[in-house]
């Protein structure tokens, strides 16, 4: 089969590799589409070290091609979204249900070979069944959507409340939709004006930029009080974390789900003074089924988020496209070309 193999920073080659066969408890998934995200980009560019050679790709959807002995939860032919993280299952964190925090967590496409290939081999329990009629373009956003569903859950988003979403990339645009589906009014906040019309088109009640600092006034206008009840930070920049603290009302909640790689100079005076709850949200625990349900019901729409698609052979172009200003979600489609 064909796979895009990373041999070193920026050295990505589409090659023929050995066909995959499932071991006990495993499934081999024929990949129909893989989303590309900032994590893939950091690995590809060498910012994030990995062992080489590596097949990257963790936002994987496809169809089960074969299962190993003992697998009953999925069968060949089943359409699935892959949960690209699994844990040791034996440590105190895993045993108490916090498997996403396990120190021995395995990330597909980072620690082990992933989905930038015609097929991927995985533990069967990370293959979440999806309805056959759910379009690939919808299902492809299941992984980032699961991240967002958890962030919204941890923020205890409640109908009738107001929220601000920082960042209007894939996670932010999904967060706006999940919050709307739960009956909140939402302010979408971006660094520039460019994507504000899109944020509005997918349901944001108000939009603002951080061009002249945190949009405190917009947060007050939307909420009719001192700030919004809930802030979901998806940008993962140090500045966005500081701005999140500014937009929440006293007694409000701030959920951080973007991963800031540099320290932030949050003024913790305001965290105390406003009794803010700062909540970290790391990937997902049991949120995949809810993400798939939101996609299948149409509550979350992905059409305008999926901006670029490339066949596996053109994967280098996909990495270039990821950095273009008009890119939101770039996808690689290793499967046979669909006539749409
Ligand atoms: Zn990702
Ligand atoms: Zn563990």
């Amino acid at each position: 089969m064909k796979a895009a193999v990373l041999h070193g920073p920026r050295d990505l080659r589409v090659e023929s590799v050995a066909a995959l066969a499932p071991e006990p408890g495993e499934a081999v998934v024929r990949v129909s589409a893989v989303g590309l995200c900032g994590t893939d980009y950091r690995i590809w560019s060498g910012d994030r070290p990995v062992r080489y050679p590596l097949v990257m790709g963790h936002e994987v959807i496809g169809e089960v091609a074969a299962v190993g002995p003992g697998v009953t939860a999925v069968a060949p032919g089943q359409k699935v979204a892959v949960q690209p993280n699994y844990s040791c299952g034996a440590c105190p964190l895993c045993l108490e249900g916090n498997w996403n925090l396990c120190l021995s967590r395995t990330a597909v496409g980072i620690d082990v070979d992933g989905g930038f290939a015609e097929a991927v081999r995985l533990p069967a329990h990370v293959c979440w069944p999806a309805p056959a009629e759910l379009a690939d373009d919808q299902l492809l956003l299941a992984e980032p959507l699961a991240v967002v569903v958890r962030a919204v859950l941890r923020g205890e988003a409640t109908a009738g409340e107001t929220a601000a979403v920082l960042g209007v990339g894939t996670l932010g645009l999904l967060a706006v939709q999940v919050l709307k589906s739960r009956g909140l009014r939402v302010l979408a906040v971006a660094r520039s004006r460019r994507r504000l019309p899109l944020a509005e088109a997918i349901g944001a009640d108000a939009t603002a930029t951080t061009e002249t600092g945190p949009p405190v006034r917009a947060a007050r206008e939307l909420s009719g009080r001192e700030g919004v009840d809930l802030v979901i930070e998806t940008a993962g920049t140090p500045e966005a974390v500081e701005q999140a603290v500014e937009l929440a009302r006293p007694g409000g909640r701030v959920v951080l789900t973007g991963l800031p790689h540099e320290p932030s100079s949050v003024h913790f005076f305001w965290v105390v003074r406003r009794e803010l709850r700062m909540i970290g949200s790391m990937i997902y625990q049991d949120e995949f089924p809810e993400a798939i349900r939101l996609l299948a019901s149409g509550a979350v729409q992905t059409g305008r988020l999926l901006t670029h698609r490339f066949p596996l052979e053109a994967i280098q172009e996909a990495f270039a496209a990821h950095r273009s200003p008009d890119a939101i979600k770039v996808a690689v489609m290793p499967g046979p070309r669909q006539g749409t």
Side-chain angles (χ1 to χ4, degrees):
M1 68 165 197
K2 288 262 187 296
V5 182
L6 187 71
H7 290 275
R10 293 172 195 261
D11 182 5
L12 185 59
R13 302 176 216 156
V14 178
E15 305 175 344
S16 288
V17 300
L20 302 173
E23 303 273 319
E26 290 183 341
V28 168
V29 172
R30 197 179 300 114
V31 179
S32 48
V34 203
L36 200 159
C37 82
T39 304
D40 300 300
Y41 193 89
R42 293 183 70 241
I43 296 170
W44 173 79
S45 68
D47 261 6
R48 177 166 175 169
V50 290
R51 56 115 192 128
Y52 305 106
L54 173 72
V55 179
M56 292 180 289
H58 58 274
E59 298 178 4
V60 181
I61 64 164
E63 195 183 287
V64 175
V67 295
V71 173
T72 52
V74 287
Q78 173 73 56
K79 187 167 192 156
V80 293
V82 169
Q83 171 194 299
N85 284 279
Y86 50 91
S87 67
C88 78
C91 73
L93 286 163
C94 285
L95 294 176
E96 72 195 16
N98 287 319
W99 72 262
N100 56 325
L101 310 179
C102 173
L103 303 181
S104 314
R105 183 166 54 86
T106 301
V108 174
I110 300 172
D111 303 315
V112 296
D113 282 347
F116 287 141
E118 287 176 329
V120 58
R121 188 166 63 93
L122 303 147
H125 75 268
V126 302
C127 299
W128 289 100
E133 62 278 10
L134 181 54
D136 285 356
D137 285 7
Q138 282 281 105
L139 187 60
L140 183 57
L141 276 291
E143 201 266 351
L145 182 55
V147 171
V148 166
V149 168
R150 179 161 185 80
V152 169
L153 211 78
R154 285 185 58 74
E156 297 171 12
T158 306
E161 286 191 320
T162 53
V165 172
L166 268 66
V168 289
T170 302
L171 294 179
L173 292 167
L174 292 172
V176 168
Q177 297 185 71
V178 173
L179 290 163
K180 288 304 296 177
S181 79
R182 295 194 172 225
L184 285 84
R185 282 181 302 126
V186 183
L187 168 69
V189 180
R191 266 195 297 209
S192 77
R193 308 210 69 80
R194 195 164 29 82
R195 260 187 216 156
L196 297 187
L198 176 55
E200 260 164 39
I202 60 151
D205 298 278
T207 57
T209 72
T210 55
E211 281 163 339
T212 56
V216 174
R217 203 157 88 201
R220 288 181 181 163
E221 267 166 24
L222 180 76
S223 62
R225 54 179 300 180
E226 311 85 351
V228 293
D229 301 298
L230 171 65
V231 181
I232 307 271
E233 199 300 292
T234 70
T237 62
E239 304 77 48
V241 178
E242 292 156 34
Q243 286 153 359
V245 169
E246 299 301 317
L247 300 181
R249 67 166 169 86
R253 293 97 64 198
V254 174
V255 179
L256 308 176
T257 194
L259 276 169
H261 289 280
E262 295 93 37
S264 172
S265 61
V266 169
H267 199 346
F268 278 96
F269 176 88
W270 294 112
V271 176
V272 178
R273 179 70 182 74
R274 295 175 184 154
E275 270 197 353
L276 296 180
R277 277 201 286 150
M278 304 276 290
I279 304 157
S281 187
M282 179 60 187
I283 56 171
Y284 27 71
Q285 285 183 353
D286 308 317
E287 286 80 11
F288 256 78
E290 171 67 1
I292 293 171
R293 195 192 65 74
L294 286 167
L295 293 164
S297 72
V300 171
Q301 293 290 332
T302 63
R304 305 184 59 176
L305 275 59
L306 190 56
T307 50
H308 295 72
R309 300 150 219 255
F310 297 92
L312 187 63
E313 293 68 31
I315 191 164
Q316 291 281 9
E317 290 169 51
F319 276 86
H322 175 75
R323 290 303 280 246
S324 89
D326 58 333
I328 301 176
K329 178 56 70 187
V330 174
V332 173
M333 325 290 258
R337 211 66 78 80
Q338 290 146 326
T340 46

